Amino acid sequence: MCKGVINGCNCRARTNVLSHGSNPEWGEEFEILVADEVDDVSFTVKDDNWIVVIPVDQIVSGQKIDSWYSLAGPTQTKKHGKPMQAQAAVPARRDSTLEQSKSMLRKSSRGGGKMLPVCLQGEIDISVEYKPISQDPLWNSGVLGSSRGKEARVPDGGVPHVYFPLRKGCRVTMYNDAHQEADHHSQVRLANGVHWEPESCWDNIYDAIMDCRVLCYVVGWSIYDKIKLKRDPNKTEAEAPYLTLGDLLVKKAREGVRVCMLVWDDKSSLNSTLLGFGGMMATHDEDTRKFFKNTGVHCKICKRNGGSDDSMIQKFQTDNMFTHHQKSVILDATGLEGGPILDIANLDKGSPRGGDGTRAWTKNKLEQLRRRSPGHNSPATGAKPAPNANMGDETLKRRLITFMGGIDMCDGRYDTPRHSLFHTLATVHSKDFHQACIAGADISKGGPRQPWHDIHCKLEGPVAWDVYHNFIQRWRGQAREYRQKQLLSLDKDKNASRLHVPVIERSVTKEDKGNEDTLSQIGDQNYGETWSVQLFRSIDSSSAAGLPRTKAALKMGLSAQKGRVVDFSIQEAYVHAIRRAKRHIYIENQYFLGSSHAWLEDKGVGHANHLIPVELALKVASKIEAGEPFGCVVVLPMYSEGVPDSASVQEVIFWQGRTIQMMYHIIGQAMQRAGVQNQHPKDYLSFFCLGNKEAHWDGEPTHAAAPPAGSPYEAAQKHRRFQIYVHSKLMIVDDEYVIIGSANINQRSMDGARDTELAMGAFQPHHCVGNKSTVGNYPRGQVHGFRLNCWEEHTMQAKQLYEKPESTECMRELNAIGDQNWQDYCSDQVNDMSSHLMTYPIQVNQDGSIGSLKDHEFFPDFPAARVLGTKSGTLPDLLTT
């Protein structure tokens, strides 16, 4: 195997492992994104750690490097973790003898007047071409490249060189939080004055499962059979007339729907009556397995196993530290008029299936079947749902839809934009009290509950089949052989004939060039509200079957790492979107740490070298130096889930502090170089968290027990406050491009070989910069509406300033709201907070240095939990990064 290492600590690429004796031929090409400040790049042949080191000055000179290099194995190959200067690479003379090449290398290896012993072990052919970001036509270009001229326009706006292609003619419904209250009406307006209409995620999922007739495939980090997706705010959970998730899935299985589930197996949970333990993560995996046994629901509890070529230590790390973190529901839905579509047998019995497997309805027939479009937070796309949804003899074929994102269908996730702490304990949270940040918390002792803010989406159209393929690959890779027959056969199963299977349904091992099946699309691509959507993953071949290997993998953006194929396209999508950004980036994420290769201290920790934080900082710095306005807003939890003074939570916060320190350092330096006056680093980059306080009310229920005296539980209950836990995985760029998924901004989620993740990137082609539908060249489509909807939830306002989020005025307004809310949150006065957005409690200085806020070294109510965290000294870095 050959690997490329930047400055000794940052491995950016690995080849496949070959066993071709003394003359291996990899023939592999990589397109590698870099954002590294380094001196050299090394190439190592792992057979015996033979090495070539090429100075960065040669690589960035503008000339393509394409030469044979002598492999060196000195008696000292490294010092203090860095390749020694004596190892500078020298091209080998193909007509020279080994001794002559050896002499050349020795002559070039003199560093500081001292010569090291060198042993040559053959040669390696290396070709490297460096392309600076300033020459990338996508840099600052927006989604469709409209700012760089016609010659630089991107053909479709998709991310190149990744496994799944961009799918056109789709529809996206975006959800903030699991539920929306009926009396909530957004003030956000889209293009042409249309109001944004938020929808209830779990209501929609419940209704979709009730309506499915063919298949229902469910994936989750945690899935709990006893939770209720649908609830009545005026009744307790027990009184509400809705089925639990477990009963709902069993009901559909007994109706003949093929129900399959993939749930992560937390190895710390025990399958034992005597030794019953819910596991470190309390995911209910064993409860779920037992509930669905012999019910007709095929429930597979799957471990996160290491690769076949991993060492014993690596297998242990993967098995015990990493998870299956994807969340999706894939199921059939009512067909659409003018969409996917027709059961030919009902019109022309015995007709063979056509090339596209469909036949268009006549105009008169469509008029007879016309019906109101299903709800979604956009104007209709022209496609109508079929009638006869409940008829056994359906006229239109059913289509595939999927829900995916960050919300697990388990306890504690049901919440609304109000994020109540105490008010709902007697109703919708009476049997769903979740508080993982306070030791010993229980509803018998009263609140506060742990409010939950999250982001999810529904995907319709061709991209739904890509989510389906992800499920199939995982099932085939993780379920035992006898379980393979539990999947619905699209070719042989009689019930599957009711489902429209489009052209893009293909063998997962074949290369897909993005062939379009227009009859799977939701409406006309030329219609203003159509979407283009692309699926991304973090996953490897130990968790997904059918990933192509060797050169075929490289063509699809996959990487070979120690005998396994790795897809880390979520990171590629984030970096791609950041580099295209023109004005503004908005992020919500549960974690925010990485780019450890660029940290000022603790460099390289946990190999947390994903590029997202440093790319964000460099983007902001480039705008400062260009004199252009730019704003980046990041919303995080106050602290990660768990008791905030515990070793694991404190270390995560510590690494997050190192990340933020690095980013503000880069921005501070850029401001100094540009001679920026009357601006502050937070005018360009600001971090926030969310919190709530609730006053007492008349008739408030009492509780049977009380928290321990002097505990954080007692303090939080006394002050009637708690953080709103941000579990989102969202990025919005320039109000035209959105990423939603399960992936956190940390190495676990972005690596590809750690946690398995799923995300989608999407935009509306008619609502991008440069299109006629924009207002003053500002997009006003659904991505814009969703950002404003989130800001309206967090600030309880829909201000005109929010229309231009890159402006200094907008950034300062958000910071002013955040500062005031932080003061209100920390106050001993018990009042309802006016809104939820709070400044993240760190001090950012004019030069970009950071520290603790005055009098706020520790989090409120937790006197031992440091705001900037502490290193544990015992926990493995792989676990907390």
Side-chain angles (χ1 to χ4, degrees), residues 214-215 340-342 353-358 397-400 465 468-469 488-493 495-506 517 519-520:
V214 180
L215 63 85
I341 264 296
L342 188 58
R353 188 183 180 103
D356 58 7
T358 61
K397 281 213 168 186
R398 298 180 68 81
R399 61 198 172 98
L400 204 67
W465 284 95
Y468 167 87
H469 280 300
L488 184 79
S489 171
L490 297 180
D491 297 324
K492 299 177 181 179
D493 195 288
N495 201 29
S497 64
R498 305 168 74 181
L499 184 67
H500 170 71
V501 182
V503 172
I504 61 170
E505 201 289 314
R506 58 185 169 83
D517 177 14
L519 289 174
S520 292

Side-chain angles (χ1 to χ4, degrees), residues 398-418:
R398 298 180 68 81
R399 61 198 172 98
L400 204 67
I401 66 171
T402 185
F403 297 85
M404 58 161 288
I407 306 180
D408 293 285
M409 294 191 295
C410 63
D411 45 343
R413 273 49 172 181
Y414 185 94
D415 213 340
T416 73
R418 294 185 181 180

Side-chain angles (χ1 to χ4, degrees), residues 91-336:
R93 291 182 181 176
R94 298 298 293 155
D95 58 349
S96 67
T97 66
L98 183 62
E99 284 301 312
Q100 289 174 326
S101 295
K102 187 175 182 179
S103 175
M104 289 169 53
L105 187 60
R106 281 178 173 157
K107 290 178 182 178
S108 68
S109 298
R110 292 180 178 138
K114 185 176 181 180
M115 192 164 59
L116 290 174
V118 174
C119 173
L120 291 184
Q121 184 73 14
E123 301 164 354
I124 186 170
D125 184 15
I126 298 173
S127 175
V128 182
E129 183 177 11
Y130 172 72
K131 296 181 180 179
I133 192 64
S134 58
Q135 296 178 15
D136 187 344
L138 302 181
W139 175 249
N140 290 332
S141 68
V143 170
L144 295 176
S146 57
S147 66
R148 302 293 291 268
K150 291 183 178 180
E151 70 283 355
R153 286 184 66 84
V154 185
D156 58 14
V159 178
H161 312 303
V162 295
Y163 186 76
F164 291 107
L166 186 75
R167 304 297 188 189
K168 299 178 181 179
C170 300
R171 182 162 65 192
V172 178
T173 305
M174 295 170 285
Y175 306 100
N176 58 308
D177 305 312
H179 183 70
Q180 296 287 328
E181 294 168 316
D183 61 352
H184 174 70
H185 300 286
S186 174
Q187 300 302 308
V188 174
R189 290 182 178 271
L190 308 179
N192 302 320
V194 176
H195 269 286
W196 171 270
E197 293 295 339
E199 292 200 36
S200 289
C201 178
W202 276 14
D203 282 2
N204 285 9
I205 294 177
Y206 184 94
D207 292 341
I209 295 175
M210 285 290 286
D211 179 62
C212 71
R213 301 288 183 270
V214 180
L215 63 85
C216 180
Y217 292 166
V218 184
V219 181
W221 174 81
S222 172
I223 298 173
Y224 191 30
D225 61 276
K226 295 186 174 50
I227 62 107
K228 287 189 174 182
L229 299 179
K230 218 166 191 176
R231 308 181 191 185
D232 188 329
N234 299 313
K235 297 180 180 179
T236 66
E237 286 189 76
E239 295 170 338
Y242 303 113
L243 297 174
T244 64
L245 176 61
D247 290 340
L248 177 60
L249 293 175
V250 171
K251 167 183 165 63
K252 299 311 295 185
R254 290 174 178 170
E255 290 176 358
V257 174
R258 188 64 55 89
V259 182
C260 296
M261 299 172 61
L262 284 172
V263 184
W264 173 55
D265 183 1
D266 180 357
K267 293 186 72 173
S268 66
S269 61
L270 302 178
N271 178 21
S272 169
T273 304
L274 296 176
L275 301 175
F277 174 56
M280 296 297 294
M281 305 305 294
T283 60
H284 306 289
D285 56 331
E286 287 301 327
D287 296 331
T288 299
R289 182 188 62 80
K290 292 174 184 176
F291 178 86
F292 288 112
K293 187 176 182 180
N294 300 323
T295 63
V297 173
H298 306 296
C299 181
K300 167 62 180 171
I301 308 298
C302 43
K303 297 179 175 64
R304 176 65 179 97
N305 293 323
S308 59
D309 294 325
D310 286 353
S311 67
M312 289 183 64
I313 293 176
Q314 290 170 327
K315 284 181 181 292
F316 178 83
Q317 290 172 336
T318 301
D319 292 357
N320 292 277
M321 294 184 192
F322 305 138
T323 76
H324 293 301
H325 200 238
Q326 297 179 348
K327 309 122 183 5
S328 63
V329 180
I330 306 140
L331 66 176
D332 63 289
T334 306
L336 296 178

Side-chain angles (χ1 to χ4, degrees), residues 334-532:
T334 306
L336 296 178
E337 298 175 11
I341 264 296
L342 188 58
D343 185 348
I344 296 175
N346 285 331
L347 288 187
D348 188 6
K349 187 174 181 180
S351 294
R353 188 183 180 103
D356 58 7
T358 61
R359 179 175 296 180
W361 282 102
T362 64
K363 182 177 180 180
N364 290 338
K365 189 69 174 179
L366 286 173
E367 288 298 323
Q368 294 173 19
L369 297 176
R370 192 162 304 282
R371 182 180 174 185
R372 184 174 59 86
S373 177
H376 52 91
N377 42 32
S378 70
T381 59
K384 306 290 183 180
N388 311 322
N390 297 314
M391 295 173 58
D393 182 19
E394 293 182 351
T395 309
L396 295 181
K397 281 213 168 186
R398 298 180 68 81
R399 61 198 172 98
L400 204 67
I401 66 171
T402 185
F403 297 85
M404 58 161 288
I407 306 180
D408 293 285
M409 294 191 295
C410 63
D411 45 343
R413 273 49 172 181
Y414 185 94
D415 213 340
T416 73
R418 294 185 181 180
H419 300 295
S420 177
L421 306 177
F422 300 92
H423 278 273
T424 58
L425 296 185
T427 55
V428 294
H429 291 113
S430 59
K431 291 185 178 297
D432 187 12
F433 179 83
H434 180 77
Q435 179 49 275
C437 298
I438 298 179
D442 187 84
I443 195 169
S444 65
K445 302 172 187 176
R449 61 176 286 271
Q450 180 183 321
W452 199 273
H453 173 67
D454 219 329
I455 302 294
H456 219 64
C457 68
K458 178 171 70 173
L459 303 179
E460 303 172 77
V463 71
W465 284 95
D466 290 333
V467 184
Y468 167 87
H469 280 300
N470 172 72
F471 180 91
I472 299 301
Q473 286 182 325
R474 283 198 55 194
W475 188 276
R476 289 175 177 166
Q478 295 172 288
R480 293 181 181 178
E481 185 175 351
Y482 80 92
R483 284 190 177 273
Q484 302 304 321
K485 297 179 181 179
Q486 294 172 346
L487 291 172
L488 184 79
S489 171
L490 297 180
D491 297 324
K492 299 177 181 179
D493 195 288
K494 183 178 180 180
N495 201 29
S497 64
R498 305 168 74 181
L499 184 67
H500 170 71
V501 182
V503 172
I504 61 170
E505 201 289 314
R506 58 185 169 83
S507 169
V508 295
T509 60
K510 292 180 180 179
E511 182 177 355
D512 182 357
K513 298 181 179 179
N515 295 324
E516 297 177 9
D517 177 14
T518 57
L519 289 174
S520 292
Q521 295 174 353
I522 307 296
D524 190 335
Q525 290 185 45
N526 294 321
Y527 188 76
E529 298 305 319
T530 189
W531 285 81
S532 295

Side-chain angles (χ1 to χ4, degrees), residues 778-814:
Y778 283 82
R780 290 294 181 264
Q782 293 173 62
V783 179
H784 165 77
F786 190 62
R787 176 184 63 82
L788 290 184
N789 184 60
C790 291
W791 286 22
E792 184 180 43
E793 173 184 344
H794 302 332
T795 69
M796 304 294 187
Q797 303 174 75
K799 292 194 170 188
Q800 189 67 32
L801 271 176
Y802 299 169
E803 300 284 345
K804 294 185 177 181
E806 78 281 9
S807 67
T808 300
E809 293 78 11
C810 180
M811 294 293 288
R812 290 180 176 176
E813 175 68 16
L814 291 175

Side-chain angles (χ1 to χ4, degrees), residues 699-766:
E700 182 174 356
T702 58
H703 298 278
S711 66
Y713 195 176
E714 182 188 54
Q717 194 172 95
K718 173 187 173 182
H719 295 121
R720 309 276 294 185
R721 67 190 174 197
F722 209 75
Q723 72 154 326
I724 298 169
Y725 193 67
V726 177
H727 191 259
S728 318
K729 299 91 171 59
L730 166 74
M731 184 169 78
I732 291 175
V733 177
D734 292 333
D735 282 359
E736 60 180 4
Y737 190 81
V738 60
I739 295 176
I740 293 173
S742 67
N744 297 308
I745 297 180
N746 58 9
Q747 193 64 27
R748 293 177 63 107
S749 287
M750 295 296 166
D751 189 87
R754 298 188 185 184
D755 291 351
T756 59
E757 307 284 5
L758 192 66
M760 71 87 183
F763 63 95
Q764 292 184 282
H766 298 279

